[in-house]
Amino acid sequence: MTVQDGNFGANLLTSSDRRIQQYVSTYQSYPAAQGYYLLDEPRNPNDFIDAYASLKKADPNAYMHLNFFHSGAFGSTEAFYDQLNDWCRLTAATGYPLDYLIFDRYPYGLTAGSMNRREFYADLRTCHDVGLANNVKTGIYIQSVQSNSAWMRAPSAAEVRHEVYVALAYGYKQISYFTWFTPSGR
């Protein structure tokens, strides 16, 4: 379980080392608590590097979950590469290298059978290359349901398998499934 109780995420930017230690100490005795939520889909997480370091000092073996947006949010594959690489470099400089470099790219649009292959594969390759260059394992969020904003459809079982198998072929070690608060009736 990755902990997010409202004290994590954006609140970490204004939390002292002592306060972060208190947040972590609340959960350290729970065997299921294996990590802490840092941030989801930042365009630039670099402001969170001190919070990352404080969390790792408080619980060095815990996973600090930070999920990146896809390259489209950065304007180019090159800018995406640079930001992923920069985050890996910054975390390594704290003495606590990143556990996983993870992002989301949901390739299936609204039309049945449609898939944004070019950008999906480019982002898989980019994250793979950055992870390899920095000796960091990689992860991805898999599109598994329709979004409530209706910009993506629910993929078929075969399409979900395709996403997973492609990620595994690229050497990804963490597979997460986008479920948007476990929706029902969709």
Side-chain angles (χ1 to χ4, degrees), residues 98-175:
L98 205 53
D99 295 308
Y100 287 95
L101 184 61
I102 187 169
F103 76 101
D104 58 47
R105 162 66 78 175
Y106 306 126
Y108 302 115
L110 290 174
T111 308
S114 66
M115 181 183 184
N116 184 340
R117 284 177 176 77
R118 186 181 61 78
E119 291 174 356
F120 179 66
Y121 294 136
D123 286 356
L124 282 165
R125 169 60 70 184
T126 299
C127 188
H128 165 271
D129 290 352
V130 172
L132 197 60
N134 290 280
N135 196 30
V136 174
K137 294 177 279 191
T138 50
I140 186 170
Y141 272 88
I142 301 298
Q143 179 181 337
S144 60
V145 297
Q146 179 176 329
S147 170
N148 26 342
S149 62
W151 58 268
M152 63 184 198
R153 65 181 164 79
S156 68
E159 289 170 326
V160 171
R161 282 192 301 273
H162 176 79
E163 286 179 273
V164 171
Y165 294 156
V166 170
L168 292 172
Y170 273 95
Y172 281 63
K173 303 297 183 205
Q174 182 182 18
I175 307 291

Side-chain angles (χ1 to χ4, degrees), residues 1 29 32 40 62 66 70 79 82 86 89 92 96 106 120 136 150 157 183-184:
M1 175 181 75
S29 64
D40 187 42
L66 185 141
H70 54 79
D82 290 345
D86 196 36
R89 182 187 56 77
Y96 301 102
Y106 306 126
F120 179 66
V136 174
S184 60

